[in-house]
Structures are given as structure tokens and as C-alpha cells.
């Protein structure tokens, strides 16, 4: 089951550089692990911003909540979720 | 080059049913043709709405404008565009 | 799987009274049938408005889309969807 | 008398971890006590967020204010309230 | 139990003048009857607008819905409702 | 001359508890004094929030500014003002 | 007593040209009469728009409502009102 | 003197096709004439929309108002104006 | 050439009182000097707020930027600018 | 390929003056270097603000992201991006 997730990162300007680097490194490891598992199906940077557009593929709403609330950057992001399903005009069988 | 495009369809409530059906049929043909060409890479319905989330893969901004402004439903949609690029944490080579 | 759905009804002021009455009657039949099936778990009127707050219980996003887009009032409503899941502080086993 | 209440938690990023944990623990005890009393009828997590959707069942507006302003997380939440009543299409006698 | 209700009137520009006059006359009769009953406690014009700020005194949310949805101008108004209760600094015993 | 005033209190989360208590105590004294003078005609809590809805009765705009800008909580509030006047359907002589 | 009033004109696109011309002519006569009386102290066009910024000088809120609601274009405008008073740094005695 | 002007075209869906074509043809002639005069310095399409971003070079605010309010599409556009001036980091002498 | 300028002052709540008083004193001197020069033509307080509405009379956009960016309170204000010009219904020759 | 980019600078009020001056100096060097390369085609100050309107000329979305995310002020700006293309009414060959 697919969800579009938009994340805008807003780190506090006074966060020490090492702490920020540490959180970002953990975020990268976590994001790549979820991509390898197929849970985080797509991950794009929105050009000109510190934000991403993502497609998650999860079993249900509860798993979506588990995955997103475990993001190392979770406390520092504005996040918007849209449930997706197959579009009647889509020609891709697996886009749902 | 990828763009996220969100389209919300707002048909006038007094449009005759045949006219609406005709426009939607043309939209479907057009959308499937663009998908087959690889220009309209993803097309999802936003669940609970008359809206979609799409990923376009175009040569440049001009082609994006050409494709979107030729949509049969173009005069009846609110459309939002976000330029995308490869995310540094993405593991997908072709996601850009 | 639960979703909160908020619906605000906006009938065109020039819709003939009979047509409006007909659509509303069909909406009521449909809404009560979905409630009996357990798909539409809760349905409340927002006091002082022509709007409702609802909780849907569906198998997945696709079923949510099917049920909502089949509402007789669907073309005349602003609809907002929020995916829900069990809250860690909830004491209700079936609230998810 | 029912109210829908949406709460978005916004803890200051520089709040010490122990203080945050302490407030959350108190919030959980309080939320579960109100649920057992039947005052906090439903409590759902909004998937992909640090937010909840709740249904309160109170005697009047004053009791709603008492319960919500006593939440340990009250100073750190954006809260929206909607008064609810029975929907004419509802088949549930106690949903009001 | 008190509620603040703000109503902004938006008559369609093409409504015939007689029809508009008729609805407004009925609205006035209804509003004055509710004021005499003490249900519509205060009614003020917002200066420079076709809008009002009102205070309703009702038994519960259901009565609020009954009174507001029966307004002759109801289909033509944007309405916002806020539940009120006694303020701890108020010196007026009956302001709640 | 009447004005509706809505005040939302937003104390900085790191304000020391004593300082907050001191400001609130001064606010209460001031609010009650203005109520006794008839300047602050109504004061209601918006249920489920740290906000109030008020009706001020002042000589002119300048007095409104004097009274509001002297509120001890003034630097910590979002404030919205609406000028009011007698509604043609009001039955209350003194509601203006 | 001064008020800033911003008016944005939104004539329905299907209003007959003569009717529009007639309303605008009446608006001009009315606006110039109020300016001569000193009630409409300033009237500026917002460059690049069909809107104006105005300063009204009235006895009280009721007079403001009378003057604005009598504008021939009143049913076709979005109007925003801000009460003004003397600024402590102003050097103009009559700017209040 | 430069101004950025953003224009979003919103033609009524029921405007006859010939009328729309006529207005657009006049708009094009007018826009190209102003470009030749150097008044309309830049004109870009916003990709994926029926909107443009423009830079006007005018003598003063009054001329800006004259040029924009004379646009054949003026009654059918949402228009936003921003006054521009030379940026201290600009290396272009004529960008002001 | 006239511009309407709205300024909302938002001093950080933790700014030391002396620093705030110093900035405000400098702002007053500067504002009065500009008024004497005729550059800052009108300055009003918005009643019930820490905000003002102003009319600037400047040679061009560049001078507007110079004057506003030199305000001692500039870093602590939300500022909105609207270019003004003579309204065709204005009877005041110098209101442009 | 052109993009309109709007940047609003929001430096934290408690940033030390030297640090702010240092970042701004680096920003200026960087902005002028990109202008000399032709990547940052236009750069204007929005009069009355700490903001700019810019036109970037880049190879693709990825280069836009590289250039913008490398701005020394990037962490302290609200940034909005619009993809541009040639307008059918433009007479400038190189405006695309």
C-alpha cells in the first residue's frame, strides 16, 4: 500500500554542527536500509530546498507510523502524508 | 529530468455529463500514451479525492509545459509542480 | 484500517430543490448501508455547519477511494483524509 | 456531548530528554484515566505525525476546557476543537 | 452553554432581488424570535462588512446545530463556531 | 463603541514559572478592573485553548489601543480586533 | 476617528457591460461626495490591481458601517477594515 | 524602475471559445508591443500552468497601473506586484 | 510616488528591556526625521496591536528600500509594501 | 533552463553580528561568482524587504539544487522555486 510523504527539514539554527552531522548520518543509514527492504520505494530531493518527496510501500497505516516516527530527523521535520492507490488510467501494474 | 505534479480536478457542476465523459476519455488516452512514451513515469490516485500525484520525466521545463498544457482536463485542474533531483541518500540510480 | 474523513458539502446555490433532495436521499441510503457493513464506523455532524466528521474502516487505500468516490454527494464536497492507527496511550483494543 | 479534538505536539527541540519523557509519561497516565472514565471516548494516532485525533464526551464546554487545559502536554500542543452532534444519517444511537 | 458564531453572508450576485429580500425578511423574523427566547444572546454587525458576530446560549451541541441549520440564510453563509465557557478572570456570573 | 477582541496567549516555553505566574496575576487584576469600569464588557474562555473572546466598550480607537497595549500579557499574545455596531436585526438596545 | 479600508473589486465576469458601467459611475459620484464631506479622507489605487486603499474619518463604527454598506460596489467587493489611532511617533496633529 | 508581476489567468469555463481566442490574440499583440517599447522587459511562462512571471520597467507606479489595467486579460487574472530595485550583490548595471 | 507600508513589530521576548528601549528610541527619532522631510507622509497605529500603517512618498523603489531597510526596528518587523497611485475617483490632487 | 527563485532571509535575532557579517560577505562573493558564470542571470532586491527575486539559468534540476543548497545563507532562508520556459508571446529569443 503506497503513501506519498513530503518531508521538510528544519534543523534549529543553534544545533551544534557535530550533532547535526550525526543525525544526518543516522538518517542516511536508516533511509537506505528502508529502501533496500522496499519499504521506502522512492526518495527524491525537491530542487532548491532541504526537503524530499517520497513514496512509501507499507502493509498498513500502523507500519507507516512506525517507519516515519523512527526517522532520526523526525523531531525536526514538517511531514505531510497522502494515501495513494492505483489510478484508473495508470498502465503500471505495480504502481499501487 | 523529473518533476512531481499534483493535479486536482474541478469540473464545473453544470458541465453536461456527455461533455465530461468525453474529456475524461480523451484524458485517459493521452495519459496512457505519455506513460507508454516514458514521459509520465508514475500516476497515482490520491485516495478519497478527485486528484492525482504524478512524476513526469522530461527533457526540460519547456517540454513539461507542453505536456501539461495539452492535457484535455488542463482548464479544469489546479496544478502544482515541484522540480525533483537525485536525493543523496537514494539507492536508486534511475531516480533522477 | 482506519481513516478520519472530513466532508464539507457545498451544493451549487442554483441546483433545483428536487435534484438536491434526490442526491441527499441517495447519500443517506448509501451512508447507512456502509455503516451497517461496518465500513463507515462513525458519522458525526459538525455542529453549526453542513459538514461531517467520519471514521472509515477499510481494507486498504483502494477501498477507501472506492467508497468515497461513490458517494452521491462526492462531486459537491470538500474532503480531507487522515490515515489513523493505534495510539500508544489508547486503552481500546479495537481502535485501530 | 461530543467534541472532536485534534492535537499536534510541538516539544521545543532543546527540552532535556528526561523532562520530555516525564511529561509524556504523565500525559499517558492522564489520558488513560480519562479514557477509563469515558470522558476521552476515542484516541487515535494520525499516521506519520506526532499528532492525535480524539473524541471527547463531556457534560459541557466548561468540562471540555477543564480536561484539555489539564493535559500535561497542553503548553506544547496546537489544539483544534469541533463540536459534534448526531448526524441524521447515523445508525448509531450512542454516537452523540 | 455559550458559543460564539461568526457568519459571513455571501449571496450569489445573480439572485433575484425579490428572492434576496424575502430570505432576509425571514432571517430577521427568525433571528428576533431566537433573541426573544434567549437562545441568540448577542448579535452584532461587523462594521464594514456583511457579517455578524453572535453569541448563542443553547442546551447542547445538537440544539446549536438545529438553530443554525434552520437559518434562512444558512445555505449562503460561511459560518465559524467556537465553544465558550467561563473565563477565570470574568466577574460576570452569567457569562457562561 | 464596541469591539470584538480575540486573544491567543503564547508564553515562551522557557519563561520561568514564577515570572509567568506574576504576569498572569497582574493580567487578572487588570482585566477585572476594566470589567468593573465597564470597558471590558464580556470575557469568555474559548473552550480547549489558552485563548479568550472579549467585547470591549470604549470611547474610540485610541482608548482601545491604550487598554489593549497595557495588558500585562500584551507582548505574548496574538490579538485580532473587529469593530462592531448595532445589527439591524438585534432586539437589544444596548448592544452597540 | 480613522479607519483604513482596503477594497478589492470582483465583478462577475458575466455582468453586462452597461450594468457594470452604471454601478461604477454611481460609485464614483458617491466616493467623491464622501470625499468632499471629509468622511473619505484618502483614496488610492493599488498599482496593478482593481483595488484601493482608503482612509475613512467617521464618528464611530456605526457610521463606518453605514458609509461602506451603501457603496454601490459593496456587493462585489472584498473589504478589510483596520481601526487606526494616533501613532506615538507621528508628528502630524490631525492624523488621528 | 522595475516591478515583478505575476499573472495567473483564470478564464471562466463557460466563456465561448471565439471570445477567449479573441481576447488572447489581443493580449499577445499588446504584450509584444509593450516588449518592443521596453516597458515589459521580461516575460516567462511558469511551466505547468496558465501563468507568467514578468518584469516591467516603468517610470512610476501610475504607469504600471496604466499598463496592467489595460491588459485585455486583466479582468480574468490574479495579479501580484512586487517593487524591485538594485541588489547590492548584483553585477548587472542595468538591473534596476 | 506613494507606497503603503504595513509594519508589525515582533521583538524577541528575551531581548533585554534596555536594548528594546534603545532601539525604539532610535526608531522614533528616525521616523520623525523622515516625516519632517516629507518622505514618511502618514504614520498610524493599528488599534489593538504593535503595528502601524504608513504612507511613504519616495522618488523610486530604490529610495523606498533605503529608507525601510535603515529602520532601527527593521530586523524585528514583518513588512508588507503596496505601490499606490492616483485613484480615478480621488478629488485630492496631491494624493499620488 | 530558467528558474525563478525567491529568497527571504531570516537570520536568527541572536546571531552575533560578526557571524552574520561573515556569512553575508561569503554570500556576496558566491552570488557574484555565479553571476559572472551566467548561472545566476538576474538578481533583484524586493524593495522594502530583506528578500530577493532571482532568475537562475542552469543545465537541469540537479544543478539548481547544487547551486542553491551551497548558498552560505541557505540555512537561513525561505526559498521558493518556479520552473520557467519561453512564453509564446515573448519577443526575446534568449528568455528561455
Amino acid at each position: 500500500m503506497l503513501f506519498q510523504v513530503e518531508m521538510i527539514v528544519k534543523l534549529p539554527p543553534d544545533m551544534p554542527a557535530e550533532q547535526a552531522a550525526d543525525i544526518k548520518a543516522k538518517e542516511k543509514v536508516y533511509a537506505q536500509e528502508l529502501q533496500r527492504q522496499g519499504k521506502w520505494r522512492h526518495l527524491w530531493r525537491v530542487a532548491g530546498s532541504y526537503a524530499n518527496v517520497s513514496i512509501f510501500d507499507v502493509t498498513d497505516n500502523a507500519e507507516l507510523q512506525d517507519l516515519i516516527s523512527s526517522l532520526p530527523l523526525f523531531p525536526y521535520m514538517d511531514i505531510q502524508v497522502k494515501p495513494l492507490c492505483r489510478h484508473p488510467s495508470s498502465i503500471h501494474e505495480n504502481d499501487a
Side-chain angles (χ1 to χ4, degrees), chain A:
Chain A
M1 212 171 62
L2 301 184
F3 289 86
Q4 183 218 38
V5 182
E6 300 193 53
M7 311 179 197
I8 304 177
V9 185
K10 295 190 173 173
L11 291 176
D14 56 355
M15 177 183 277
E18 295 132 75
Q19 187 188 352
D22 180 52
I23 296 177
K24 291 179 198 177
K26 284 181 180 145
E27 179 87 5
K28 185 168 191 171
V29 169
Y30 181 78
Q32 296 195 328
E33 173 58 23
L34 289 188
Q35 286 175 81
R36 271 187 292 268
Q37 294 175 14
K39 299 291 187 190
W40 195 328
R41 195 188 275 203
H42 295 290
L43 168 59
W44 295 289
R45 169 69 74 215
V46 180
S49 75
Y50 192 4
N52 72 65
V53 166
S54 293
I55 305 292
F56 278 75
D57 184 358
V58 294
T59 308
D60 55 16
N61 293 345
E63 191 185 21
L64 181 73
Q65 169 66 5
D66 284 349
L67 297 182
I68 290 181
S69 64
S70 302
L71 289 165
L73 280 169
F74 180 69
Y76 309 107
M77 297 201 289
D78 287 350
I79 297 177
Q80 250 201 338
V81 168
K82 289 202 184 85
L84 302 178
C85 60
R86 199 164 195 278
H87 192 285
S89 299
S90 173
I91 64 169
H92 302 300
E93 284 307 315
N94 67 334
D95 256 12

